[in-house]
Amino acid sequence: MAASSSSSPAAPAGEPLRQKRILSSKLYLDVPSSKAPVVYSPAYDISFLGLEKLHPFESAKWGRICRYLTREGHLEKRKLVEPLEACKEDLLVVHTEAYLNSLKSSYRVASIVEVPPVSLVPNWIVHKKLLYPFRKQVGGSILSAKLALERGWSINVGGGFHHCSAEEGGGFCVYADISLCIQFAFVRLNISSVLIIDLDAHQGNGHEKDFANDGRVYILDMYNAGIYPFDFTAKQYIDQKVELVSGTKTDEYLEQLDNALEVSKSRFQPQLIVYNAGTDILDGDPLGKLEISPEGVVTRDEKVFRFAKDQNIPLLMLTSGGYMKSSARVIADSIINLSNKNLIELGNQLG
């Protein structure tokens, strides 16, 4: 037994080192009140020699969401918040050195993002064209927690890499931004209770493993149990799971959500909500296999934001999965609806 344990991956940093890394990080920018708590960088969008088209993920959706919002007059471009890139010291707050070193192999990255030809690309190009955009989105997720506490809500137009844990990536998720933003919040924002509401179509097995025995984090995960990742180990760490079947339709979905939110309210009182708002629940999504209408997604997001606002709990939203061209339009419409319902304030109201 001793021999095998010596070859296992190094454990994440001890608590004092983790705290030191968090406290010395530059990611918690001071954002002027003239900006909206909507985080985005043009660097989020992945353009990678055309290889990004080999994965069903719509890797330019983040920019398209913002273009819809700015071109239609709902949000001025200058009011968007640009995050910094998460550096290695930031990532080591959750990730092991061994895991980060494994990303120096293009073959390893290719298996995580599920695009085999990436294994043939020189690693420096992989870092520049693929991993840098992801690290910018991680910086955005971490900053979004600070903004949520300051403003009551925030949206990172990206992030939500919920299949990645401290020691393992997968499902197009290379870095554990959800775990990272929560660990930063515990130290820098002086909070001790976080609710993750994960409504992506897939089980959020990454953060579930990272917070397996952490009573400060309560996980509500509503997902299609008949699709990837089938992670039965992680499943036992979900505080409240709602397992859906392929073909679930809008009315049933929204009813299940209403019930789940009521149960969660009676069980846990968080100081921050991390809302993983994947749009792969849309009818026609090739991977999600649920049948939720665009209007149903807009209603879903409104219900979650209202749930937070009614209890005066800060909420940050991450856009997560979504594998159809229509996803960007639906997310933009949802943000516009949240603004129209006065659940968020974009600072550029029309009419």
Side-chain angles (χ1 to χ4, degrees):
M1 290 297 286
S4 64
S5 66
S6 65
S7 62
S8 65
E15 214 48 51
L17 182 52
R18 170 183 277 170
Q19 290 215 10
K20 185 177 174 219
R21 284 178 168 137
I22 292 171
L23 291 171
S24 61
S25 173
K26 295 180 170 61
L27 293 177
Y28 264 29
L29 302 172
D30 283 323
V31 176
S33 59
S34 59
K35 289 187 177 281
V38 179
V39 183
Y40 170 73
S41 167
Y44 281 17
D45 297 296
I46 295 168
S47 175
F48 188 29
L49 316 173
L51 292 177
E52 71 279 0
K53 295 181 174 64
L54 299 177
H55 191 281
F57 192 90
E58 219 279 272
S59 59
K61 81 171 180 181
W62 306 292
R64 290 176 58 234
I65 295 163
C66 288
R67 281 193 292 278
Y68 287 133
L69 294 173
T70 54
R71 286 177 185 171
E72 295 167 15
H74 299 282
L75 178 63
E76 292 177 62
K77 194 181 284 189
R78 65 184 177 85
K79 292 193 173 178
L80 290 164
V81 177
E82 166 111 20
L84 296 174
E85 171 196 4
C87 70
K88 184 180 179 183
E89 284 298 302
D90 297 319
L91 298 170
L92 283 169
V93 164
V94 164
H95 290 295
T96 61
E97 187 100 37
Y99 175 70
L100 295 181
N101 284 338
S102 77
L103 303 178
K104 293 173 183 173
S105 156
S106 295
Y107 176 81
R108 181 77 196 101
V109 176
S111 75
I112 292 170
V113 298
E114 302 171 336
V115 181
V118 167
S119 63
L120 306 174
V121 177
N123 193 251
W124 70 270
I125 297 178
V126 172
H127 272 264
K128 182 179 177 184
K129 292 289 193 178
L130 190 59
L131 300 186
Y132 170 69
F134 285 145
R135 289 194 296 269
K136 280 288 266 191
Q137 294 191 43
V138 171
S141 295
I142 290 170
L143 178 59
S144 292
K146 176 178 183 280
L147 282 170
L149 265 289
E150 290 171 353
R151 310 285 189 88
W153 65 276
S154 67
I155 297 171
N156 182 21
V157 185
F161 306 129
H162 67 158
H163 296 307
C164 188
S165 64
E167 297 179 7
E168 187 179 14
F172 204 68
C173 300
V174 181
Y175 301 113
D177 67 317
I178 294 176
S179 303
L180 282 159
C181 90
I182 292 172
Q183 293 292 356
F184 269 70
F186 284 150
V187 173
R188 294 282 284 262
L189 303 176
N190 196 28
I191 62 173
S192 57
S193 57
V194 176
L195 167 62
I196 299 173
I197 299 177
D198 195 336
L199 301 186
D200 185 277
H202 300 83
Q203 177 198 346
N205 57 325
H207 57 74
E208 287 157 7
K209 285 185 278 201
D210 285 342
F211 294 111
N213 301 303
D214 194 331
R216 298 172 298 175
V217 178
Y218 182 97
I219 298 171
L220 163 55
D221 196 351
M222 182 159 143
Y223 58 92
N224 183 347
I227 59 172
Y228 175 91
F230 302 109
D231 192 329
F232 299 103
T233 302
K235 195 180 287 193
Q236 66 192 353
Y237 305 129
I238 304 172
D239 297 284
Q240 188 185 338
K241 63 177 179 283
V242 181
E243 296 194 322
L244 306 171
V245 296
S246 293
T248 297
K249 296 194 164 33
T250 304
D251 288 347
E252 186 194 339
Y253 180 91
L254 293 174
E255 186 180 334
Q256 293 255 37
L257 175 60
D258 283 336
N259 294 338
L261 292 174
E262 276 304 310
V263 170
S264 129
K265 188 194 289 190
S266 67
R267 287 188 184 173
F268 192 75
Q269 281 70 52
Q271 295 163 291
L272 174 69
I273 294 172
V274 176
Y275 173 34
N276 200 46
T279 44
D280 48 2
I281 66 168
L282 278 165
D283 189 7
D285 189 282
L287 300 185
K289 297 191 181 342
L290 301 174
E291 296 181 11
I292 314 307
S293 67
E295 298 76 20
V297 172
V298 170
T299 302
R300 173 198 73 170
D301 293 349
E302 182 182 332
K303 283 177 182 291
V304 175
F305 271 77
R306 200 172 293 286
F307 171 81
K309 188 158 190 173
D310 286 350
Q311 299 175 84
N312 203 26
I313 302 166
L315 176 146
L316 76 94
M317 170 175 152
L318 308 169
T319 56
S320 201
Y323 305 91
M324 296 195 298
K325 275 271 195 286
S326 59
S327 265
R329 179 72 259 179
V330 174
I331 295 166
D333 286 344
S334 180
I335 293 170
I336 293 163
N337 177 65
L338 293 170
S339 176
N340 289 340
K341 299 285 173 67
N342 295 316
L343 291 165
I344 64 173
E345 169 63 75
L346 296 176
N348 202 41
Q349 307 305 95
L350 294 180

